[in-house]
Every structure is written in structure tokens, then in C-alpha cells.
Amino acid sequence: MGSESLSAIMEARKVLEDYKLNQLPIDVEGLCDSLGITINYVDFSAIEGKVGKEISGAIKKNGETYTILVNEDESDVRARFTIAHELGHYFLHVKNDSRQIVTSFRRDRSHRETAANKFAAELLMPKKLIKEEYSKMVIPVSDTLAKKFEVSKPAMRIRLDGLGLMYV
């Protein structure tokens, strides 16, 4: 794992601790409120048509405040991941970036996007809480864990695989 991904995971753990986020599901909307970050659901279709890429979300700086823009077409669990991903950009990249907006395109595998995904995975599915919930299950079922953590089934499977945990 690259150093940027490792530092993203460590930053997510620090945020979980600093904001006492230890109850499932992790309250990303509440975290945004605490940080003074507004969340807006928007129609990106016109922009997507122009750039030829799907957009999950973006984080925009307005003076000293920030707004997370989430694609209004996303499911609730996908939107939660997008919010967590954009929070990753906030904590890892945006504060020291002169750009006024950072857009997250689906399937972008750049170092920054990978780091934001690692941050989001650790924020929404903290290793400690995954292991706690996993240990309570006689037969670990990824779909059940996905529901508890309010994440998509594919996101949970990727997380469990990354942690080396077996499941059905």
C-alpha cells in the first residue's frame, strides 16, 4: 500500500477518534455539520455530457466554507460513500489546494482519488468496528454487514477482502 493511502487511513482514524464517531452507521452528515460543510444533491448530467465522464461528487470552496456536491442520481448508500470520499479530499487535499473545486469522476484511479477512497472506506467501515461486528456473526454475511454499516454490498465486499476476512 502506498504512503498516501496509508496516511489517508490514519487520517480517517484520527477523524473517527477526534469526532467520537463510534456508533453504526457512521454519521457522515453529522460530521459535515460539525465541520460547517454543506451537502447539496445536484444534477451533474449536463457536465457529464460535456466531459464524457460520470461524476459522483465534488467538494467546492466558497471563501472559507465548503460544500459537498453529490450526484442526485446516486442511491443512499452510494451517496454516503461519495460524502465520505469528498471528506477525504477535504482532510487530505483541499485545505492546502488553491483550486476552488475538486471533482470526483467515477473510475478515476489517480493517487488522490485512491487516497480519498481509502479514507472513505476507513471512515464508513472502520477496521475496528468491522472486526467487532464480524466476530459477532456465526456465519459472516457481507450483505448483512453492508446493511449495518449503510454501505453498498460491493463496497463491503471490497473492504472485507482488503482486511482478509472470509464471508458469504
Side-chain angles (χ1 to χ4, degrees), residues 15-44:
V15 169
L16 288 163
E17 188 177 314
D18 290 352
Y19 291 89
K20 296 174 180 39
L21 298 169
N22 52 20
Q23 300 294 313
L24 292 181
I26 299 300
D27 185 4
V28 289
E29 293 88 354
L31 176 57
C32 286
D33 285 344
S34 299
L35 296 166
I37 297 174
T38 306
I39 301 169
N40 288 333
Y41 292 83
V42 297
D43 179 358
F44 282 120

Side-chain angles (χ1 to χ4, degrees), residues 38-95:
T38 306
I39 301 169
N40 288 333
Y41 292 83
V42 297
D43 179 358
F44 282 120
S45 59
I47 298 168
E48 289 173 331
K50 286 181 182 167
V51 297
K53 296 178 183 177
E54 289 181 72
I55 301 171
S56 294
I59 185 162
K60 184 175 189 254
K61 186 175 184 180
N62 311 310
E64 295 303 308
T65 63
Y66 293 87
T67 301
I68 290 176
L69 306 171
V70 179
N71 191 324
E72 67 184 11
D73 293 335
E74 296 200 337
S75 66
D76 290 347
V77 292
R78 179 80 188 144
R80 280 176 45 77
F81 195 90
T82 296
I83 292 165
H85 175 98
E86 298 308 329
L87 284 168
H89 284 305
Y90 173 79
F91 283 103
L92 301 168
H93 308 125
V94 178
K95 288 192 219 177

Side-chain angles (χ1 to χ4, degrees), residues 3 9-10 14 18 26 28 42 44 58 64 71 77-79 84 99-100 109 113 119 123 130 150 159 161:
S3 63
I9 291 166
M10 298 312 292
K14 182 180 180 314
D18 290 352
I26 299 300
V28 289
V42 297
F44 282 120
E64 295 303 308
N71 191 324
V77 292
R78 179 80 188 144
R99 294 183 295 172
Q100 296 300 301
R109 301 291 179 251
E113 291 302 308
F119 178 95
L123 186 70
I130 289 275
E150 289 186 16
R159 184 69 171 135
D161 289 343

